[in-house]
Amino acid sequence: MADIAVFIERYTVARSEEMGALMRFAQVTQRLGHRVDWLFRPDIYKIPEYDALFIRSLTDPLNASYVAARTADLHGLRVIDDPDSIIACCDKVNMYRRLLCAGVPIPDTVFLGPSELTADRGADLLRELGSPLVLKAPSSSFSMYVERVTEPSAFVRVSRRFLRRADLVVAQRFVQSVFDWRVGVLGGDPLFVCRYVIPKRRWKVLSYTESGRMIYGAVQSVPLSLAAPRLLDVAVQAAATVGRGLYGVDLKQIGDDYVVLEVNDNPTIAANEEDVNAPQVYERVIRYLVGEWG
Ligand SMILES: Nc1ncnc2c1ncn2[C@@H]1O[C@H](COP(=O)(O)OP(=O)(O)O)[C@@H](O)[C@H]1O
Ligand SMILES: [Mg+2]
């Protein structure tokens, strides 16, 4: 029997689907004969009393969740997400370099330093990588600092704004599609597959209105057995460049092939969304945490 801690913040349970998933994790933990407790920030000091830690909150090296991950790691607990994965995934330049080194396909991508954020360089990139061109701040999450430009002047304006948050800016070829593939990977094996549908008249899975309201599309769960082997293969390779934990790999399909947009640590697992055709997700995560998987 193992004692499992789940680290959460109040916003973790803002959506009933995420609350529902936590309940399913708790039920499976009990069914497998283990114990589970919810820990909040003030409980971080209790982490060493547990056998495993499962983080279900935003992970960032500057967040309490990172302190929780480090504490667990230092005390020899099994932990999702491990601190190294949090560090690797929070920086897109680092992540894309890992993918490029491992030969994992990504859209054509360049990293730009301060001296390159000129209208001339913008015009060259719009020619070489095509228009629109996607710009990303390395630390972006929730699509916050990912924008498209079609003019050299907009390239200069957006890229200089993004550079305030980093010392490099990512420029990437735009890949058109009506959905992103999301492949959950755990311990080196595919865990679930979904389509994250892009809302009408938008180009990102998640975006915001002027007033800051979130706009997101449907989550369509696809049985692992029906997913293209190449999709799973590329996703598993991408996850392996970061680690052996739990990841959500985002990919675009181009014909019969795939390019990786991002490897996310702490991927969303929500009840009646990611789990629809993957009811085993809860049990596999718990088995991983207690050392029976991966
Ligand atoms: N090269 C690209 N071509 C087309 N769409 C993209 C591209 N890169 C990102 N996107 C869209 O923008 C969203 C956010 O990009 P992503 O790199 O995942 O940043 P974040 O970490 O902020 O989520 C993606 O889910 C995808 O829908
Ligand atoms: Mg993303």
Side-chain angles (χ1 to χ4, degrees):
M1 176 179 131
D3 281 326
I4 301 174
V6 181
F7 180 79
I8 56 176
E9 304 255 19
R10 203 169 55 175
Y11 58 73
T12 310
V13 293
R15 282 204 312 139
S16 63
E17 291 82 0
E18 292 187 49
M19 183 80 210
L22 284 182
M23 291 306 134
R24 291 184 192 178
F25 276 115
Q27 284 157 2
V28 168
T29 307
Q30 293 218 316
R31 178 164 57 74
L32 296 176
H34 306 298
R35 282 194 62 255
V36 61
D37 283 330
W38 314 117
L39 300 192
F40 287 88
R41 274 187 215 189
D43 306 314
I44 285 179
Y45 76 95
K46 297 179 188 160
I47 287 172
E49 297 166 19
Y50 290 86
D51 301 304
L53 176 69
F54 184 30
I55 297 175
R56 290 281 84 190
S57 67
L58 301 181
T59 48
D60 185 287
L62 298 177
N63 274 355
S65 56
Y66 183 73
V67 179
R70 274 288 284 164
T71 306
D73 194 46
L74 284 172
H75 287 84
L77 279 71
R78 300 269 288 179
V79 56
I80 294 176
D81 313 280
D82 63 275
D84 293 343
S85 295
I86 295 176
I87 299 268
C89 291
C90 78
D91 172 7
K92 291 195 195 311
V93 172
N94 177 318
M95 181 196 63
Y96 287 134
R97 283 195 173 131
R98 286 168 187 253
L99 294 170
L100 288 167
C101 270
V104 177
I106 66 172
D108 294 332
T109 301
V110 293
F111 308 124
L112 304 167
S115 64
E116 293 178 276
L117 308 186
T118 63
D120 282 351
R121 184 74 170 115
D124 286 348
L125 287 167
L126 283 160
R127 239 187 338 268
E128 284 162 26
L129 300 183
S131 178
L133 179 68
V134 179
L135 296 174
K136 305 185 184 189
S139 63
S140 178
S141 59
F142 293 93
S143 298
M144 291 280 227
Y145 303 101
V146 175
E147 292 188 24
R148 280 192 321 190
V149 297
T150 53
E151 301 286 336
S153 57
F155 166 83
V156 173
R157 183 168 36 82
V158 174
S159 62
R160 289 197 180 158
R161 173 153 55 80
F162 285 176
L163 201 72
R164 279 189 236 138
R165 311 176 48 81
D167 45 14
L168 291 172
V169 172
V170 176
Q172 197 167 63
R173 181 187 292 278
F174 174 68
V175 184
Q176 175 74 48
S177 72
V178 291
F179 62 84
D180 285 5
W181 285 108
R182 162 60 64 94
V183 180
V185 177
L186 175 68
D189 293 314
L191 180 64
F192 62 83
V193 178
C194 299
R195 295 191 197 104
Y196 286 171
V197 177
I198 299 170
K200 285 212 173 60
R201 292 185 298 281
R202 303 267 157 178
W203 65 278
K204 295 188 278 190
V205 163
L206 170 64
S207 56
Y208 303 85
T209 60
E210 299 268 294
S211 63
R213 189 169 56 84
M214 276 191 179
I215 300 182
Y216 43 82
V219 178
Q220 300 174 341
S221 167
V222 175
L224 275 175
S225 58
L226 296 184
R230 174 74 184 156
L231 170 68
L232 302 182
D233 197 39
V234 173
V236 164
Q237 283 179 43
T241 67
V242 175
R244 298 273 308 166
L246 173 65
Y247 309 97
V249 183
D250 292 333
L251 309 96
K252 292 279 191 196
Q253 182 166 355
I254 304 177
D256 289 338
D257 215 347
Y258 301 88
V259 288
V260 174
L261 291 185
E262 193 180 23
V263 180
N264 297 279
D265 65 309
N266 213 268
T268 301
I269 298 176
N272 306 322
E273 293 184 346
E274 284 78 4
D275 67 356
V276 171
N277 284 294
Q280 72 289 353
V281 293
Y282 303 103
E283 179 163 338
R284 282 189 48 194
V285 168
I286 300 303
R287 287 196 185 280
Y288 176 94
L289 285 168
V290 302
E292 292 173 7
W293 189 292

